[in-house]
Amino acid sequence: AIDGGSASDDANHISGPSRTGDGLYFAMRDAMSEAGVGPADVDMLQMHGTATAYNDEMESKAAGLAGLSDVPAQSLKPYFGHTMGASGIIETILAAEELKRGIFLGVKGFEELGVPVPLNVSAENRLITNPHHCLKTASGFGGTNAAVLLSFGTPAPASAKKTSSALNPVRRVQISQGQVNVDETSAFVSSQTDFHTFSREAFKSREEANMKFYKMDDLCKLGYLASAWLLDGIEYGEEECGIVMSGKYGCLDTDIRHQQIIDSEGDSSASPAVFVYTLPNVVAAEISIRHHIKGENIWFWSEDKTMSDIKKYASILAASRDLKYCIAAHIDFINGDYFAIFELLENTDR
């Protein structure tokens, strides 16, 4: 059973992990907290483990912060490689099977640790007697981190936390057809409605110096602009704001562009600058980086522009993570058509 879970963001860099490990640590900590277990209760630790210097360094630091340095740890990628977007679900299934059988696979090819904070890693398979809990982690582009607490045999204790919080709408931003509306007031109108003209003019009107804006894909530019107006003058701690996003198309527009490059020029011509945006959660990551948000964030596929379901989820999230604010957003970009609606919700039960 999955008894706890959490997702966070490093708010650091679009493709490079945090140098401190705090983002992943927040997800690990909250997953254990939601399940009602502590570090001493965790029998297995299955990590993202890409065998790259910065990722492995970050993960070792996160495990240390979480008090899990002595727990048997592994990465399964040496067996079948990095399955990209499928890696989280594939490795979680295998973690559940390991937990069920009490067999913890060794890390194939492991010889010695190369990380600053020690981890309990072995190349040999290990038998673990009556294991009950495994913490599985994953990390990805945009500094996104996730952790789930798996339990077998002995369920985790029920959480005593509130199940939902009352949320009060503070501000609403809508973008479409070359216009930005904040609540019921027009905040910006572009000279043209096409997205490239609109996005350039809207960004320049903000008078920001972040030239990385021009490297983003169109979905991220749209989210970046909406969040800029949404969070004007709003104050919060880095863990006090969460993001719950939805959309009908996700990153499909960028996926199509990425595939077109491969089809016309071959695999070797695939652009890393495009590939990094072929995950819809990256729009939340760009928002997190810009506004220093390390709280919970998640993406849902949905056509519902009223955001009724994700607002319910935001209410649950605000209670379980004691958030001060939660951003609920629906965002779509496909073939030049664009629409975004962002609402800032305040936790009035806090």
Side-chain angles (χ1 to χ4, degrees), residues 50 104 110 132 138 201 273 346:
T50 56
F104 197 61
F110 172 76
H132 297 303
E201 292 182 353
E346 183 177 14

Side-chain angles (χ1 to χ4, degrees), residues 21 31 38 45 47 58 73 75 119 130 138 141-142 206 230 233 274 279 282 305 326:
L45 177 60
M47 308 196 79
M58 178 274 290
S75 167
L119 291 172
N130 296 322
F141 286 141
R206 300 287 312 173
L230 186 77
V274 177
L279 293 168
V282 175
K305 294 181 180 180
C326 193

